[in-house]
Amino acid sequence: MTDEELGVQTGQAFFQIDRDTSGSVDFTKFTFGMDIDISMNSDLVELGRYDRAGEAAGSSDIRINDFALGSVNSDGTLNPFHITDPFFELAFEDVNGKEELVGIRLGFGSALGKLSGNIEYLTGNIEVKVAGTAAPIIDQANAGQQFLLWVAGVNDSTELEAAAELVTASGDPDAVRAQWIGVKNGDTLGCPSGGGNCSGWTGGLLSLFSSGNCAVLGIATCFPLSNFRTLDIGSGNNAASGMFISFQTKSINWIDNGAGTPTVSGAFMNIPNGGITVDFEQSFNGIERIRTKFLDPYYD
């Protein structure tokens, strides 16, 4: 093409390479400018199976049975899992004048769709927003607990929210081979941003009751990961950004848009805040698995 012809063309690179440095670690990131729709099923996803101090023998950093991305409608049509700008990244560290590979990361610029599986263990940063009306909370409460909620101005239609993360069965943060997710000790239920129909009086009183030993006012706030068989990554048409799986021989702070995501050695999954939202009924009762195959043993 001539210079004149090139001058009127517009386009986007299919492949982009970025270099960055943080401390003693150098990063090389390869991003593909692609939109991908995928429907995938795997009998088992198991990453990082080795003996780890303080963890159960035979456990893994990440172990998900019957893993799937996307879903299948009753009429056989697909709801694919949508990915934009997938990438992989390599982390190198200078060791005695020689660069050694210390980490690799596989991720997405954004992701939207159904993620299904029977989760046994997760290592990583999984941030879940629990939001909805208080009716399921009131249903779980006994008479005394319901009275306290009434004093706080909470009724069936009151909108509340809480932040959940990987925890132990007693509510302490647990980023390694976790089997539970919930409101960590010391956190509280609160009003949604913008208030909704939750009054300042309600928010102020609820802030006095923090979660302890996986309960607020005696109502359970932690649940086994295995209860949640299908999760929505993103919400509506709003894709979630920052999702990745990484493998590293040491703790690495992976860099995104100037901010960092700290990880631990081994296999690590990151689904940041806003990536998953569930309501209180789903928290208490779990989420059933959606159909992910044309011939699905869960349904057929």
Side-chain angles (χ1 to χ4, degrees), residues 156-198:
D156 283 353
S157 63
T158 304
E159 296 174 6
L160 299 174
E161 70 177 25
E165 61 185 71
L166 298 177
V167 294
T168 65
S170 57
D172 294 320
D174 182 19
V176 178
R177 299 189 182 181
Q179 296 179 283
W180 291 73
I181 193 163
V183 180
K184 75 176 187 293
N185 291 337
D187 281 2
T188 64
L189 297 173
C191 297
S193 56
N197 64 351
C198 179

Side-chain angles (χ1 to χ4, degrees), residues 70-138:
S71 62
V72 178
N73 296 320
S74 57
D75 62 1
T77 56
L78 288 172
N79 300 308
F81 190 87
H82 184 66
I83 298 166
T84 62
D85 297 331
F87 66 86
F88 71 92
E89 186 171 10
L90 305 175
F92 296 91
E93 186 173 44
D94 187 291
V95 179
N96 298 323
K98 181 181 179 181
E99 279 201 335
E100 292 189 1
L101 181 67
V102 293
I104 183 169
R105 180 166 74 137
L106 309 173
F108 315 130
S110 65
L112 180 66
K114 305 282 189 182
L115 184 155
S116 300
N118 302 335
I119 303 171
E120 294 186 25
Y121 296 100
L122 270 183
T123 296
N125 172 50
I126 311 297
E127 300 177 18
V128 178
K129 180 180 179 181
V130 186
T133 61
I137 298 175
I138 294 172

Side-chain angles (χ1 to χ4, degrees), residues 271-282:
I271 304 178
N273 191 30
I276 301 174
T277 300
V278 300
D279 60 34
F280 291 103
E281 182 175 358
Q282 291 170 325

Side-chain angles (χ1 to χ4, degrees), residues 9-279:
Q9 303 301 315
T10 59
Q12 179 178 338
F14 166 74
F15 188 67
Q16 178 177 328
I17 302 176
D18 296 295
R19 298 291 302 273
D20 212 333
T21 300
S22 178
S24 62
V25 181
D26 294 323
F27 300 94
T28 302
K29 185 177 182 180
F30 304 86
T31 303
F32 299 87
M34 302 170 64
D35 291 333
I36 299 173
D37 286 332
I38 185 172
S39 178
M40 182 184 75
N41 287 272
S42 174
D43 290 341
L44 175 65
V45 172
E46 185 174 31
L47 306 171
R49 182 170 184 174
Y50 57 94
D51 290 337
R52 188 162 192 155
E55 303 298 331
S59 62
S60 307
D61 290 338
I62 298 172
R63 183 180 171 92
I64 307 174
N65 282 290
D66 298 313
F67 178 82
L69 294 176
S71 62
V72 178
N73 296 320
S74 57
D75 62 1
T77 56
L78 288 172
N79 300 308
F81 190 87
H82 184 66
I83 298 166
T84 62
D85 297 331
F87 66 86
F88 71 92
E89 186 171 10
L90 305 175
F92 296 91
E93 186 173 44
D94 187 291
V95 179
N96 298 323
K98 181 181 179 181
E99 279 201 335
E100 292 189 1
L101 181 67
V102 293
I104 183 169
R105 180 166 74 137
L106 309 173
F108 315 130
S110 65
L112 180 66
K114 305 282 189 182
L115 184 155
S116 300
N118 302 335
I119 303 171
E120 294 186 25
Y121 296 100
L122 270 183
T123 296
N125 172 50
I126 311 297
E127 300 177 18
V128 178
K129 180 180 179 181
V130 186
T133 61
I137 298 175
I138 294 172
D139 289 343
Q140 292 286 322
N142 60 35
Q145 294 160 349
Q146 289 176 348
F147 175 75
L148 290 174
L149 291 169
W150 176 79
V151 170
V154 176
N155 56 50
D156 283 353
S157 63
T158 304
E159 296 174 6
L160 299 174
E161 70 177 25
E165 61 185 71
L166 298 177
V167 294
T168 65
S170 57
D172 294 320
D174 182 19
V176 178
R177 299 189 182 181
Q179 296 179 283
W180 291 73
I181 193 163
V183 180
K184 75 176 187 293
N185 291 337
D187 281 2
T188 64
L189 297 173
C191 297
S193 56
N197 64 351
C198 179
S199 70
W201 165 262
T202 298
L205 284 182
L206 288 176
S207 68
L208 302 177
F209 302 101
S210 60
S211 182
N213 198 28
C214 279
V216 171
L217 297 174
I219 302 168
T221 55
C222 304
F223 311 92
L225 283 165
S226 58
N227 284 4
F228 304 95
R229 300 299 180 91
T230 291
L231 294 168
D232 283 304
I233 305 300
S235 176
N237 294 321
N238 298 318
S241 60
M243 183 176 176
F244 69 77
I245 293 178
S246 63
F247 313 84
Q248 45 276 317
T249 60
K250 55 175 287 183
S251 298
I252 290 178
N253 193 39
W254 296 96
I255 301 172
D256 287 301
N257 301 320
T261 301
T263 63
V264 297
S265 62
F268 187 98
M269 178 180 285
N270 183 65
I271 304 178
N273 191 30
I276 301 174
T277 300
V278 300
D279 60 34

